[in-house]
Amino acid sequence: MKLARDTWLVFQRQLLLMWRTPVWIAVGVIQPIFYLLLFAPLLKQVLEPMGAHTYAEAYQIYVPGLLAVLCIFGGLYTGFSLLGELRAGIIERARVTPVSRLALLLGRALREMVALLVQAVIITLIALPFGLRVGPLDLVLAFLLMGLLALMTSAISYGIALVLPADEAMAPVVNTLAQPIALLSGTLLPLALAPVWLQTMAKWNPFYWAVEGMRSLFSGHVGNSVVWQGLLVVTVMTAAAVFWSARLFSTRVR
């Protein structure tokens, strides 16, 4: 009960800060919209071997990957906001209060999750006039997968911010992590037509299972085993990331 109350208090404060600067949501939406409008129409011929004979089918394959990109890059870069709080001593002051250390993490990570889900809803709505069709239950499960991804990447990013000895190291470390994760998850193009060795490597990437699960949901195949495999893998990885980052919030502030 105390954890839930503390998390809600931290989440409310973080949400208020985000509400005062809504430009961050707008900035987070603009680049995916460019990809949606200027890149996705080129994919019909590329994705035709996978059954995308129309632009609507191409968007059904591409949009889930685009939403996963939001989580990968949007989530992994959230640690930069924590750097400012570390420099200002906000985290150190919070640690001497009775607030749960796990709540300090969850309240912030949930704020990022909400922001990314708002962006995802906007992008999905923009894709509808292009022929994207997805059932309500499928969409809810896809957003659940995306929310878990956002929570996981945010927790990882906060942990990295706490571990690194210097602020300047944050950008290269995050870039080094995000690029192979995105490429090996098939966000821009599915990996079904990739070489076998690349597909084998991708299966060790939890984001790959999430993207495949989201694509299956957007195609209306809620009963496909890849959906539940994705949910299981992402849930386990999210729990591990939150546990690791929460311990750092408790024991380490640089």
Side-chain angles (χ1 to χ4, degrees), residues 75-92:
L76 287 177
Y77 277 87
T78 56
F80 285 96
S81 63
L82 187 65
L83 294 177
E85 292 185 290
L86 289 168
R87 286 194 298 269
I90 295 174
I91 303 299
E92 184 65 32

Side-chain angles (χ1 to χ4, degrees), residues 103-120:
L104 293 176
L105 163 68
L106 286 177
R108 288 169 170 80
L110 289 174
R111 188 275 305 267
E112 302 300 340
M113 185 179 73
V114 169
L116 289 170
L117 285 174
V118 169
Q119 295 171 22

Side-chain angles (χ1 to χ4, degrees), residues 67 70 167 245:
L67 298 183
L70 275 179
D167 294 358
S245 188

Side-chain angles (χ1 to χ4, degrees), residues 4 20 55 60 72 79 92 103 134 139 152 205 224 234:
R20 290 175 178 172
Y55 285 111
Q60 277 188 306
I72 294 172
E92 184 65 32
V134 56
L139 189 62
M152 176 174 65
N205 179 9
N224 195 320
V234 174

Side-chain angles (χ1 to χ4, degrees), residues 6 26 46 48 55 62 107 127-128 130 140 163-164 200 217 241 244:
D6 291 349
V46 177
E48 202 162 351
Y55 285 111
Y62 181 68
L128 292 178
F130 294 93
V140 168
V163 167
L164 292 177
T200 302
L217 288 167
W244 172 67

